[in-house]
Each structure stands twice: as C-alpha cells, then as structure tokens.
Amino acid sequence: MIDYKDILFFIVVFVANVIQSITGFAGTVLAMPFSIMLVGYNTAKPILNVLGIVISLGVMGTNHKALNKKEFLKIIFIMLIGMMAGYFITKEFSISATLLYRALGIIVLVFVCIGVFNSYSEKYRKKKKETNEKTSFLAYLVLVVAGIVHGMFICGGPLLVVYASEKIKGRDEFRVTVSAVWAVLNTIILFSDIKDGYFNPKLFLSLGICIALLFVALLAGNLIFRHINKKWFMIITYSLMGISGISLLLK
C-alpha cells in the first residue's frame, strides 16, 4: 500500500515539521507543493492540515502563558473573514491550481522583501511611529489575504508572519500566538475536509505514520529552537519564507 512516493512524502513531512516547530508557520507552505506532486491534493491537504493542528497544540503546550490573547483574537476574527472567501472561491470557481500557486509564490516573495526591509531599516521604524494608522490598515489587509490563501490551500502562514512580526515582538510570544491561530483555523478546515469526504482507509494509514514522525520532528525542533538567538531566528524565518515562495513558483 506504501510506495516510494509515500516514503518521499513522509520525509518531506518530517523536515517541514521540524521547521514548523521552530518558526510556528513555515511547515505547511514548504511541504504543500512537494506533497501535492508526490501524493496529490486530496491526500496532501487533509494530512498536512491535521499535522498543523497537532504541532500547533504541541508548540502551545510548551509555553502557553506566552500567548498574546489580544492579537490572537484579532487575527482569528479577521482571517476567518478571508477564509470564508477563500473557501467560496475554491468551491464556486474553476481556477488552475498551478496558476494560484504561482501567484501565491510571487506574493510571498514580495512580502519577504517588505518584511526584511521593515525589520532592518532604521528609517522605516522611525517613519512607522508617525504613520501608525496607515500601517495598521495595510497590516489588516494582509490578514484578510492570509485568510483567503489559508482557506484555499492552508498556506496562509507567510502572510500572517508579515503582520505578526510587526505586532508581536517577543520570540516565544510570536511562536505561541501564531501556533494558536493555526490550531483554531485548521480545526475549522478539518471539519470541512470531513464533510467533503477526503478521509479514507489509506489516508488514515498515512496520517498515522505522519503523526508518529511529527512527534520526533517536534522534539528535534524544540531542541534547535533553544539554541537560536533573536537575530538568527528572524533570519531563518525570512529565509524560509523565501524558500517557500520559490518552491511555490516551481510547482
């Protein structure tokens, strides 16, 4: 029942979730393009979604007190609006998946450039204090787009990070809050996947293997996370966003 493509899929899942446990966002968007090529959308989407729930709960369990409740509730509310729009688009319109992934790849790379500039430009930080209302409006717009993308492909992470990296400064607070967002939003998608009939015996077998690998990935990711300082954490975060954008363009 398991062939070489399944084994490659398991390797992709393991590596992606080591990264997910470190950053709180990058696992699915890195794994999705390769997983679709290996096992198909109908298998990749529900499995990666469930893994996203499990690892998000795991990250939250390591330091739940770091949750920024105010930002968490704000993000959930705004992204849910976008998710409803994204779900509607996938159900009502026939759009090439390849075209959508390439568009997402371009969006991710654009926001990587914006995020790096915002983080390391002293001039921008000074200007930001003078134009706070405009920045907030753009940030909320990013959250809506993140919700649309997540509703369609469970890949809204890079766009959420653009917002969260500005609004949530602490490393642990950032990681736990973003993970809490995925735990809630992915659970909503899980019920939708069950309703749409994605789950079958082979998928459950693959899911069981992936969950076992996930716990090993979570342990490895947490060990690595303890040895990363804030500067390197942000470098890795934006580097992974860049990789995910390129991988989406190559899909």
Side-chain angles (χ1 to χ4, degrees), residues 171-188:
R171 184 180 66 169
D172 288 336
E173 186 180 351
F174 173 92
R175 186 167 171 254
V176 171
T177 303
V178 170
S179 294
V181 169
W182 300 140
V184 173
L185 297 184
N186 285 22
T187 299
I188 294 171

Side-chain angles (χ1 to χ4, degrees), residues 159-178:
L159 301 180
L160 172 57
V161 168
V162 173
Y163 173 89
S165 62
E166 289 191 9
K167 300 294 182 180
I168 306 173
K169 299 304 179 183
R171 184 180 66 169
D172 288 336
E173 186 180 351
F174 173 92
R175 186 167 171 254
V176 171
T177 303
V178 170

Side-chain angles (χ1 to χ4, degrees), residues 58-78:
V59 171
M60 289 170 60
T62 62
N63 191 8
H64 66 277
K65 293 181 180 179
L67 176 68
N68 184 323
K69 294 180 182 178
K70 179 180 177 181
E71 288 298 335
F72 166 73
L73 293 173
K74 188 187 300 182
I75 291 168
I76 289 293
F77 176 75
I78 296 173

Side-chain angles (χ1 to χ4, degrees), residues 31-251:
M32 181 65 85
F34 303 109
S35 299
I36 289 175
M37 288 186 284
L38 291 168
V39 296
Y41 179 83
N42 288 349
T43 297
K45 179 178 180 282
I47 288 179
L48 293 178
N49 184 64
V50 172
L51 295 183
I53 296 170
V54 175
I55 200 165
S56 293
L57 292 174
V59 171
M60 289 170 60
T62 62
N63 191 8
H64 66 277
K65 293 181 180 179
L67 176 68
N68 184 323
K69 294 180 182 178
K70 179 180 177 181
E71 288 298 335
F72 166 73
L73 293 173
K74 188 187 300 182
I75 291 168
I76 289 293
F77 176 75
I78 296 173
M79 285 192 66
L80 273 174
I81 295 172
M83 276 181 60
M84 288 188 289
Y87 184 79
F88 177 79
I89 291 170
T90 56
K91 291 299 177 185
E92 299 298 327
F93 296 96
S94 238
I95 305 173
S96 166
T98 300
L99 178 62
L100 289 174
Y101 268 98
R102 287 178 180 170
L104 175 58
I106 293 170
I107 292 170
V108 169
L109 291 175
V110 168
F111 281 110
V112 166
C113 296
I114 294 172
V116 170
F117 178 78
N118 292 355
S119 296
Y120 297 102
S121 170
E122 185 65 30
K123 182 178 179 181
Y124 169 80
R125 285 194 289 268
K126 290 180 180 178
K127 184 178 179 182
K128 182 180 175 183
K129 294 179 181 179
E130 302 171 359
T131 58
N132 190 54
E133 289 185 6
K134 184 177 180 181
T135 302
S136 295
F137 172 77
L138 293 175
Y140 295 149
L141 183 60
V142 167
L143 280 184
V144 174
V145 176
I148 293 172
V149 172
H150 202 68
M152 296 172 73
F153 298 111
I154 58 170
C155 289
L159 301 180
L160 172 57
V161 168
V162 173
Y163 173 89
S165 62
E166 289 191 9
K167 300 294 182 180
I168 306 173
K169 299 304 179 183
R171 184 180 66 169
D172 288 336
E173 186 180 351
F174 173 92
R175 186 167 171 254
V176 171
T177 303
V178 170
S179 294
V181 169
W182 300 140
V184 173
L185 297 184
N186 285 22
T187 299
I188 294 171
I189 293 173
L190 171 61
F191 286 117
S192 174
D193 288 344
I194 293 172
K195 181 177 74 69
D196 291 339
Y198 283 126
F199 288 87
N200 56 57
K202 183 178 180 182
L203 189 142
F204 277 115
L205 174 62
S206 296
L207 178 59
I209 294 171
C210 288
I211 288 176
L213 292 171
L214 180 62
F215 286 109
V216 180
L218 181 61
L219 176 61
N222 277 301
L223 290 173
I224 295 169
F225 178 73
R226 292 173 189 170
H227 298 89
I228 299 177
N229 61 35
K230 185 176 181 180
K231 177 183 176 182
W232 281 105
F233 177 73
M234 292 311 299
I235 289 173
I236 289 173
T237 298
Y238 285 119
S239 296
L240 293 175
M241 287 177 68
I243 292 171
S244 68
I246 293 169
S247 67
L248 288 165
L249 287 175
L250 296 176
K251 170 65 179 68

